[in-house]
Amino acid sequence: MSDGESVGPVLGLETGSPIASVGLVAGGRLLGHISRAVESHGKKLPALVDELLESAALRLEQLTAVAVGIGPGSFTGLRIGLAYAKGLAWSGGLPILGINSLDAMALGASRHPIARPDAVICPILDARKGEVYAALYRATATAVEKISDDMIVDPGHLTARIGGEAIFVGEGVSVHGARLTDAMGKRASILDNDEHSDSRGMMVAALGVARIASGDVDSVLSLQPSYVRSLEAALGGQAAARLETAGMEAVWSKEKRSLSSSTLLPTRS
């Protein structure tokens, strides 16, 4: 039995997009998940959590921890989700775990049949002003390996740095999908956004289970959303201009990071 199979139930919340997604994972099993488009996360999130707990025949006091997507994504949505998660954790004396939203999206996409070992997975979210939040991952036989830092980037710059095939997933494909396929042709695979947005709360919960199993938790007082700055904001105009010529390697991670063993992917109860 893996360490994660002894952990749970963990509630996962993801509110960084117009989709509110919540999930419950325990003992390596999916207990339930709900994802819905909402106009206001603040108004709908508590009701979604209540509905999810009722469907799983659980009470708040039976939770082991709360995991919450901390971005990148919508500033307002992330703040609402984190504030709600902190309230649950504080009132219930529960550990809280901040989960990178792109990590959760990549983990969900890795379950798709086309995500064969060595496939590059690129979750993208619309960052407005013609840019996307993105990161690159590589699927392996037993894990999802993160091979870049999170970034805000023009889709054209992003595709120029991907030498082979890539699988794109996320709300950003609705806005930029045509541009991605124009640039990469058959090297670009676009996953259905409606299908994969449903899994985000579940994947946040699964990554939370992995963090709990390793004893890595966050502080309910200090946990903050992860806002990714643009190249111009982070480096200044001249440095950013040089990167346009040199490529994006300078903002990519030099150390690969494994997100999760495949044993932590939840199965349905």
Side-chain angles (χ1 to χ4, degrees):
M1 176 184 293
S2 69
D3 292 340
E5 290 178 342
S6 64
V7 175
V10 173
L11 173 66
L13 311 172
E14 175 55 58
T15 58
S17 78
I19 305 296
S21 185
V22 296
L24 278 168
V25 173
R29 296 180 297 111
L30 171 64
L31 302 184
H33 67 98
I34 301 172
S35 294
R36 291 186 189 141
V38 297
E39 293 183 0
S40 170
H41 287 289
K43 291 180 179 179
K44 298 297 184 181
L45 187 57
L48 285 180
V49 171
D50 288 345
E51 181 180 342
L52 178 64
L53 290 170
E54 182 177 356
S55 69
L58 287 175
R59 302 183 305 276
L60 279 173
E61 54 266 30
Q62 292 177 284
L63 294 177
T64 297
V66 179
V68 57
I70 57 171
S74 161
F75 289 5
T76 301
L78 292 174
R79 288 196 297 267
I80 290 172
L82 182 56
Y84 180 70
K86 284 187 172 187
L88 291 180
W90 184 266
S91 62
L94 299 171
I96 191 169
L97 307 116
I99 303 299
N100 183 289
S101 299
L102 296 176
D103 290 357
M105 292 168 65
L107 186 61
S110 73
R111 296 161 59 94
H112 195 280
I114 68 172
R116 299 177 298 275
D118 290 332
V120 171
I121 299 171
C122 183
I124 58 173
L125 294 168
D126 185 31
R128 301 183 180 181
K129 298 182 179 179
E131 296 180 313
V132 294
Y133 299 111
L136 296 180
Y137 303 77
R138 190 178 303 280
T140 72
T142 60
V144 181
E145 189 176 68
K146 192 165 190 175
I147 57 177
S148 84
D149 285 334
D150 298 346
M151 63 188 95
I152 290 182
V153 62
D154 178 277
H157 294 164
L158 177 64
T159 56
R161 305 315 307 166
I162 301 174
E165 298 179 357
I167 301 166
F168 294 93
V169 63
E171 277 80 16
V173 302
S174 299
V175 180
H176 303 283
R179 188 174 177 187
L180 298 172
T181 53
D182 286 346
M184 296 183 63
K186 293 182 179 180
R187 294 190 295 119
S189 297
I190 308 295
L191 296 190
D192 181 81
N193 185 52
D194 291 337
E195 176 186 352
H196 289 275
S197 63
D198 285 350
S199 70
R200 290 182 199 169
M202 172 177 60
M203 292 303 148
V204 167
L207 289 171
V209 166
R211 290 270 307 278
I212 285 285
S214 64
D216 177 20
V217 301
D218 291 305
S219 165
V220 70
L221 296 177
S222 62
L223 183 61
Q224 296 294 325
S226 174
Y227 298 137
V228 180
R229 294 181 295 170
S230 67
L231 293 180
E232 288 78 4
L235 302 175
Q238 291 184 347
R242 288 196 298 271
L243 279 178
E244 289 188 12
T245 302
M248 294 297 298
E249 290 89 349
V251 295
W252 288 15
S253 173
K254 294 181 180 179
E255 295 184 1
K256 297 177 180 179
R257 181 167 63 87
S258 178
L259 294 183
S260 172
S261 163
S262 61
T263 58
L264 292 175
L265 294 175
T267 58
R268 289 188 177 274
S269 59

